[in-house]
C-alpha cells in the first residue's frame, strides 16, 4: 500500500489517479489482489466502500473498512505485534519509485496520527492522512 501502497496500503498501498495501479509490477498487483480478497472476506468490507474511499472527496470509513485497512497492513507484514505500524517495514514495502513520496508521507502522518488504541482506527488514521497528503499517489486496493 502507499503507492502509497500499503495499502499500504499497502493499502500501505495505496489513488485517485488511475495511473498508480498501472505503475506497479504485475507481481505486486497480483499480490495486492490476493490480499484484497482475503481482507474483504475477513472484514466484510465491500468493493463499493473501497471505491467510495478512493474518490476525491473526504469519506468517513466504517469500522469494517478501517479493519480492512489494518488487514492490508498486517498481510504486508508492516505492523508490530501491538498493531502499530513499523515505519521502516512500511518504507521497505513500498516500490522504490515512491521512496521520496513515502518519506514525506510517513514523516507527516506518523506525527499527526497520535496514539489510538484500536488498530483498525489507527490504520484508518494513517490512510486518511496519506490520502490528504498525497492524493495523486494514494490508492486503497
Amino acid at each position: 500500500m502507499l503507492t502509497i501502497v500499503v495499502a499500504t496500503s499497502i493499502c500501505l498501498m495505496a489513488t485517485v489517479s488511475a495511473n498508480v495501479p498501472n505503475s506497479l509490477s504485475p507481481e505486486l498487483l497480483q499480490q495486492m489482489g490476493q490480499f484484497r480478497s482475503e481482507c474483504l472476506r475477513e472484514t466484510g468490507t465491500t468493493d463499493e466502500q473501497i471505491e467510495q474511499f478512493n474518490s476525491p472527496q473526504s469519506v468517513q470509513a466504517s469500522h469494517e473498512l478501517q479493519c480492512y485497512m489494518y488487514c492490508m497492513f498486517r498481510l504486508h507484514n508492516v505492523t508490530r505485534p501491538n498493531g502499530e505500524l513499523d515505519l521502516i517495514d512500511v518504507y521497505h514495502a513500498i516500490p522504490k519509485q515512491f521512496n521520496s513520496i513515502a518519506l514525506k508521507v510517513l514523516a507527516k502522518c506518523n506525527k499527526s496520527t497520535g496514539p489510538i488504541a484500536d488498530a483498525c482506527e489507527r490504520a484508518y488514521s494513517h490512510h486518511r492522512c496519506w490520502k490528504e497528503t498525497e492524493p495523486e499517489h494514494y490508492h486503497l486496493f
Side-chain angles (χ1 to χ4, degrees):
M1 16 259 114
L2 203 88
T3 355
I4 299 176
V5 187
V6 191
T8 258
S9 287
I10 221 180
C11 22
L12 242 202
M13 293 200 162
T15 235
V16 180
S17 167
N19 295 329
V20 171
N22 294 334
S23 65
L24 302 177
S25 72
E27 296 80 15
L28 181 57
L29 289 173
Q30 180 182 4
Q31 180 184 43
M32 295 298 293
Q34 291 169 347
F35 289 171
R36 177 185 174 110
S37 294
E38 186 172 335
C39 291
L40 286 171
R41 279 191 304 274
E42 182 179 310
T43 65
T45 301
T46 65
D47 290 329
E48 292 76 26
Q49 288 173 300
I50 294 168
E51 289 173 24
Q52 188 178 32
F53 191 79
N54 280 330
S55 69
Q57 63 270 19
S58 180
V59 175
Q60 180 63 32
S62 67
H63 195 259
E64 291 82 10
L65 182 58
Q66 292 176 11
C67 289
Y68 172 87
M69 294 170 179
Y70 176 70
C71 178
M72 293 292 280
F73 282 150
R74 188 173 38 77
L75 292 181
H76 278 90
N77 295 314
V78 296
T79 57
R80 295 183 178 136
N82 66 359
E84 289 186 21
L85 281 183
D86 185 314
L87 299 181
I88 294 171
D89 286 345
V90 170
Y91 180 79
H92 289 294
I94 296 167
K96 299 284 182 237
Q97 70 261 34
F98 299 107
N99 281 355
S100 63
I101 296 165
L103 286 174
K104 173 183 169 183
V105 171
L106 290 170
K108 178 181 180 193
C109 295
N110 190 51
K111 290 178 187 173
S112 67
T113 299
I116 300 172
D118 182 77
C120 297
E121 289 179 31
R122 189 168 42 245
Y124 167 66
S125 181
H126 279 284
H127 275 272
R128 186 183 65 232
C129 179
W130 296 345
K131 180 181 174 181
E132 291 169 358
T133 302
E134 283 289 328
E136 66 278 6
H137 294 108
Y138 178 85
H139 184 84
L140 178 61
F141 283 84

